[in-house]
Amino acid sequence: MINKAVFYFCLLLATNVPMALAQEAERPKIGLVLSGGGAKGAAHIGVLETLEKNNIPVDYIAGTSIGAYVAGMYALGYDAQEIKTLMFSTDWALGYSDIIPRKDLSFEDKELRDKYNLPIKAGYKDNKVVTPGGVLIGQTMAMLLKSNTNLVREFDSFDELAIPYRAIAADLETGNAVVLDKGSIVTAMKASASVPGALDPVSLNGKILVDGGVANNMPVDIVKAMGADIIIAVDIGASLAKKEDINGTLAVMGQLSTILTAKTTEYQKTLLTPRDILIRPDVGEMSTTDFEIMPDAYKMGLLAASSAEPRLKQLSVSDTAFTQYQENKKEERKAWLNPLENVVTKIVVNNASKVDDDIILEKFDIATGQVVTWPEIKAGIDRVYSLNVFERVDVEFDDTEDGRVLQLITKAKSWGPNFFHLGLSIEDDFDDSAVLSVDLAYVMTDITDNGGVWKNEVSLGWERSIGTELFLPMDDEQHFFTRSRAAFINDKWRLSTDTGAQQELLKRYVEAGFGFGYKHTDFGIVEIGALGERGYLENQSISSDKPDFTSYGGYFRFAYDTLDNINFPTQGNRITFDVKYLEDSYDPRLTTMPDDTSVQYSINWRGAISVGNSSLVGIMMYDKIENDSDFTVHVKELGGFLNLSGYAKDSLVGPYRFLSALLYQYDLAREVPGSSGLPLYLGGSVEAGNVWPINMRVDIKDLIYSGSLYLGTDTPVGPAALGVGVADDGNVTVFISLGKNW
């Protein structure tokens, strides 16, 4: 009996497989066209699920923008559920920023970013100001795409994929559609979705490519040319806005973009025949940039495809034939997924920059002779990108008989090598202390073979300065360096007299220094050198005299910085330790001991830990001067937000300073659905500190206790805070700050 059952099963299998193959040979070839529409692209997944549910195979596939992404994933052999899982679990909002996390920057770059808080991308080259082609460079977006596709090789033709595939981009020079049919599938996806002005165009094969929506947003003609007999086209384009909604520049620009893409789509619709099927999910009013709407767009795709099911079912094949189709896709998928287990035998650096290959490889830190996973590759790419000199860092593979050859691609910033930096801050305590400051720098890089940097700076506002600094690495690996600096500085303090009157004390001086240093890690330096100051003091409220001073000597500095944010840190530490030995010479009108020797010690620490939405931040500053005189021009300030918050900014001045503070911060933004992605901290602080006159014993009994409550966030233009500070002696300040690092 068992033998008879086996016989009939084998007979059934032998009969069905040829029948399935015959049906496969006879059926019409089906082409799937997926249009562009940003976040609304989740609707495409709903359509794919419906096709799979109804046993409808796809023989050719093409897409534009987000449609190119979904189409590319399907062509690689992923099924609808796998694409849904990947698409919904990816934080696409990260693709809207190419800013390197602060914690990953070198110590020098951290210092530069902290001072110049406006993230402008502008340089000077060939006697003109140069900017990149988009607000975003697209590095992060490319990494998100590659995280989805995994480590797949470049293809001689996209016909090699499980489903023959095409992506549509637009030639920025001619406006014509460009069909991408070979090479890197991630590059094809990225080029097809590079929104003009928002994302930097992709340079490929001598063309400058942008989002294909302006040239062919629903490429019916392309899929017909590939060989499709029947087209299933999915249109998720935006609806034109009503007259009453077109108000403002952004609305007008959005309407123009919609008009361009809609015209290309309408033309493609004229190419559809009665046999073809057009699916239009009801997503026209949804946002293209808010990825929070993806679940709703997905449902609209399911609903629209369900409405088209009566016609779609006419394209269904048998369960056996569809199972065979899916198995074939999985088998072909192995051709590029199985080589992921290949051992990396060689790493080739394709370096379009002046950075030494050895530095790039040291940062990449991937060894040959082992199998490398995408997370390891991604971490290596991020380390190289954190050098902060590249516009693009990427990898491609070539699988050979001997193993996998990894090509590491680096491209220098196109708006360099000379860069502009801009900082802006506004502080106000709603009383008598409002401060506006502007900082501008022109930084020339690669001025030597070892990567020398010449930085020129101007600061305007309450305190002013102009300076220049030459930073010269001494070896190829840039571990040792020299630093030369000269500056004119105008320091200013607003001091209160015993009667409560306000006086301004000015310190104007020229400063110069030269030092040798060593980068003990990527995040810290040790430096020793000589420095000097020459200038005068001025207090016009008391006298027109300008007593002068001179200081010269040596310095030592140790610094280490791993903070993830200088203003609202959640992890890491920053510590600096400075010692200066100075020979001071003062105008006799300033002191009875015009010749003096001083030793200055300064230690600053800030650290943070976090659990969930909560962060604890510690701050400590200690400054001391040892000298024989009863006078010094080397003073420190206290007062302002988180620096004895009950006092106005820099209202306490003295040569000795101590401050200790403990902050608690809670990120409210994580609790708000659909928030902008910026943190919103509700915080409070307890602080203790003071300043002391020269040669006065520092006594804990003199400490001033203060605290604050505040709301703060870290915006694209720097930190912003609004709060109130109270001191134990009754001083109260209300403060607002934007763009200022405290």
Side-chain angles (χ1 to χ4, degrees):
M1 192 70 177
I2 294 177
N3 290 337
K4 184 179 289 188
V6 171
F7 170 76
Y8 282 121
F9 175 77
C10 293
L11 181 62
L12 180 65
L13 185 63
T15 304
N16 283 347
V17 170
M19 287 177 63
L21 293 174
Q23 186 182 33
E24 174 70 15
E26 294 172 2
R27 70 173 179 81
K29 298 298 183 183
I30 299 168
L32 183 60
V33 180
L34 304 180
S35 74
K40 297 180 294 183
H44 291 318
I45 301 174
V47 174
L48 289 176
E49 283 191 2
T50 303
L51 297 182
E52 291 179 351
K53 184 184 73 171
N54 287 283
N55 289 358
I56 300 172
V58 175
D59 301 290
Y60 305 100
I61 192 167
T64 298
S65 197
I66 190 67
Y69 161 77
V70 177
M73 296 298 290
Y74 206 59
L76 282 168
Y78 293 90
D79 61 31
Q81 184 57 48
E82 289 174 318
I83 298 173
K84 180 183 176 183
T85 300
L86 285 167
M87 192 172 183
F88 280 42
S89 62
T90 299
D91 187 356
W92 295 103
L94 294 176
Y96 292 141
S97 173
D98 289 311
I99 295 177
I100 301 168
R102 184 186 186 277
K103 64 182 179 63
D104 295 334
L105 292 170
S106 69
F107 180 79
E108 298 293 333
D109 284 336
K110 285 186 176 80
E111 297 279 283
L112 195 67
R113 179 183 292 183
D114 292 345
K115 184 173 182 179
Y116 301 100
N117 53 286
L118 297 181
I120 64 170
K121 295 184 178 75
Y124 190 76
K125 183 169 65 174
D126 299 330
N127 298 317
K128 60 184 178 181
V129 175
V130 181
T131 59
V135 176
L136 299 174
I137 303 306
Q139 172 70 17
T140 306
M141 185 60 75
M143 292 302 100
L144 289 176
L145 293 173
K146 191 151 282 187
S147 295
N148 281 202
T149 63
N150 214 320
L151 298 176
V152 294
R153 60 178 173 83
E154 292 189 324
F155 296 91
D156 294 331
S157 170
F158 289 154
D159 288 344
E160 300 172 20
L161 297 172
I163 303 173
Y165 163 75
R166 302 291 185 268
I168 311 303
D171 187 331
L172 192 57
E173 182 180 13
T174 66
N176 296 330
V178 177
V179 180
L180 302 174
D181 59 2
K182 62 182 178 181
S184 165
I185 194 168
V186 169
T187 300
M189 291 176 178
K190 183 171 178 284
S192 184
S194 292
V195 180
L199 283 168
D200 202 35
V202 173
S203 296
L204 186 66
N205 300 327
K207 293 182 173 66
I208 303 174
L209 304 180
V210 295
D211 192 301
V214 298
N216 190 348
N217 198 45
M218 194 174 72
V220 173
D221 57 342
I222 303 304
V223 179
K224 281 183 175 289
M226 292 172 72
D229 299 311
I230 296 177
I231 298 292
I232 301 172
V234 187
D235 177 16
I236 61 167
S239 301
L240 289 172
K242 303 298 183 183
K243 179 174 64 175
E244 56 271 18
D245 296 326
I246 306 174
N247 43 32
T249 303
L250 293 178
V252 171
M253 293 176 64
Q255 183 78 336
L256 289 173
S257 176
T258 302
I259 290 171
L260 287 172
T261 56
K263 281 187 176 297
T264 68
T265 300
E266 289 305 314
Y267 169 72
Q268 292 297 318
K269 288 179 182 178
T270 67
L271 304 179
L272 296 172
T273 69
R275 299 182 67 193
D276 300 325
I277 300 171
L278 175 64
I279 299 175
R280 170 68 175 167
D282 187 16
V283 295
E285 303 299 326
M286 290 185 179
S287 170
T288 59
T289 57
D290 182 7
F291 287 93
E292 297 289 331
I293 60 96
M294 286 198 303
D296 293 331
Y298 162 73
K299 293 176 184 176
M300 291 296 101
L302 275 177
L303 185 61
S306 297
S307 299
E309 269 188 313
R311 293 194 62 196
L312 289 173
K313 286 181 177 179
Q314 298 174 21
L315 305 177
S316 300
V317 297
S318 67
D319 290 344
T320 304
F322 193 71
T323 299
Q324 187 64 46
Y325 164 79
Q326 290 180 310
E327 289 300 321
N328 289 343
K329 280 181 61 178
K330 291 179 181 178
E331 193 63 31
E332 292 187 51
R333 177 176 166 182
K334 292 178 182 178
W336 45 86
L337 291 185
N338 285 355
L340 298 182
E341 302 302 320
N342 284 356
V343 171
V344 173
T345 57
K346 186 178 182 181
I347 298 176
V348 178
V349 181
N350 183 353
N351 181 18
S353 77
K354 292 185 178 181
V355 181
D356 191 274
D357 286 0
D358 289 338
I359 294 177
I360 294 173
L361 289 171
E362 180 183 4
K363 295 291 285 187
F364 192 50
D365 195 25
I366 298 292
T368 57
Q370 61 184 10
V371 175
V372 183
T373 65
W374 167 247
E376 293 171 327
I377 292 290
K378 171 66 164 55
I381 290 174
D382 288 345
R383 287 191 294 269
V384 176
Y385 192 61
S386 71
L387 287 170
N388 201 24
V389 295
F390 298 117
E391 178 176 312
R392 177 189 173 217
V393 180
D394 202 354
V395 293
E396 297 294 350
F397 294 96
D398 183 18
D399 290 308
T400 68
E401 294 181 357
D402 298 326
R404 169 158 283 188
V405 177
L406 186 154
Q407 181 183 184
L408 178 59
I409 303 164
T410 57
K411 179 186 176 185
K413 293 178 179 179
S414 58
W415 61 99
N418 306 320
F419 304 96
F420 293 105
H421 297 269
L422 181 63
L424 175 68
S425 66
I426 303 171
E427 296 179 88
D428 199 336
D429 63 4
F430 300 98
D431 190 6
D432 58 357
S433 180
V435 178
L436 170 67
S437 62
V438 178
D439 299 295
L440 178 66
Y442 178 60
V443 181
M444 304 171 67
T445 66
D446 294 330
I447 62 173
T448 66
D449 291 340
N450 291 334
V453 177
W454 186 11
K455 180 170 61 177
N456 301 277
E457 302 175 286
V458 175
S459 295
L460 304 173
W462 173 253
E463 296 181 329
R464 300 184 295 275
S465 67
I466 181 169
T468 186
E469 178 181 289
L470 196 59
F471 182 87
L472 300 178
M474 301 171 65
D475 58 320
D476 291 343
E477 289 76 27
Q478 300 183 358
H479 293 153
F480 295 90
F481 62 87
T482 64
R483 188 194 311 271
S484 306
R485 178 169 176 80
F488 172 76
I489 302 172
N490 184 0
D491 286 340
K492 187 188 296 186
W493 299 279
R494 184 183 287 119
L495 306 177
S496 298
T497 65
D498 294 338
T499 62
Q502 296 287 315
Q503 295 183 358
E504 288 186 1
L505 176 63
L506 283 76
K507 175 186 175 184
R508 292 191 172 103
Y509 61 103
V510 175
E511 175 188 77
F514 177 81
F516 293 93
Y518 172 69
K519 293 183 179 180
H520 54 85
T521 68
D522 289 336
F523 311 122
I525 62 167
V526 177
E527 189 172 340
I528 188 170
L531 77 164
E533 298 177 3
R534 182 176 180 84
Y536 63 88
L537 301 177
E538 182 178 358
N539 187 336
Q540 295 180 349
S541 302
I542 298 176
S543 171
S544 59
D545 291 344
K546 299 178 181 179
D548 60 4
F549 66 90
T550 301
S551 295
Y552 63 91
Y555 71 89
F556 168 83
R557 187 175 209 215
F558 171 88
Y560 180 75
D561 188 347
T562 60
L563 278 183
D564 60 348
N565 189 299
I566 191 64
N567 305 292
F568 300 108
T570 60
Q571 62 178 2
N573 289 276
R574 183 181 192 275
I575 184 168
T576 60
F577 175 62
D578 294 276
V579 179
K580 293 180 181 179
Y581 177 90
L582 297 174
E583 295 291 336
D584 299 320
S585 179
Y586 297 120
D587 188 303
R589 289 171 292 180
L590 294 173
T591 175
T592 56
M593 296 182 61
D595 295 317
D596 191 20
T597 299
S598 66
V599 181
Q600 304 174 34
Y601 305 94
S602 179
I603 184 167
N604 284 267
W605 168 79
R606 180 173 296 203
I609 57 173
S610 63
V611 177
N613 293 14
S614 299
S615 300
L616 280 177
V617 182
I619 299 174
M620 196 276 285
M621 294 188 293
Y622 177 69
D623 301 273
K624 181 182 179 182
I625 293 180
E626 293 181 355
N627 69 339
D628 298 322
S629 173
D630 58 354
F631 178 81
T632 181
V633 295
H634 312 296
V635 296
K636 302 295 182 179
E637 307 93 358
L638 269 183
F641 179 41
L642 303 183
N643 289 279
L644 288 185
S645 300
Y647 283 78
K649 176 178 170 57
D650 296 347
S651 58
L652 301 176
V653 181
Y656 293 179
R657 176 178 66 175
F658 174 79
L659 175 72
S660 180
L662 181 65
L663 289 64
Y664 171 78
Q665 297 175 161
Y666 187 85
D667 187 356
L668 297 171
R670 297 189 187 182
E671 305 294 336
V672 181
S675 62
S676 65
L678 295 176
L680 178 61
Y681 294 107
L682 174 63
S685 67
V686 289
E687 308 156 32
N690 205 346
V691 297
W692 287 266
I694 193 74
N695 292 329
M696 181 176 178
R697 181 174 175 269
V698 175
D699 195 326
I700 193 172
K701 295 179 181 179
D702 299 326
L703 289 177
I704 300 171
Y705 296 92
S706 186
S708 69
L709 290 174
Y710 59 89
L711 276 174
T713 185
D714 216 6
T715 74
V717 296
L722 173 66
V724 59
V726 180
D728 63 348
D729 59 2
N731 271 307
V732 178
T733 60
V734 177
F735 51 82
I736 183 171
S737 176
L738 174 63
K740 181 66 176 179
N741 298 312
W742 42 78

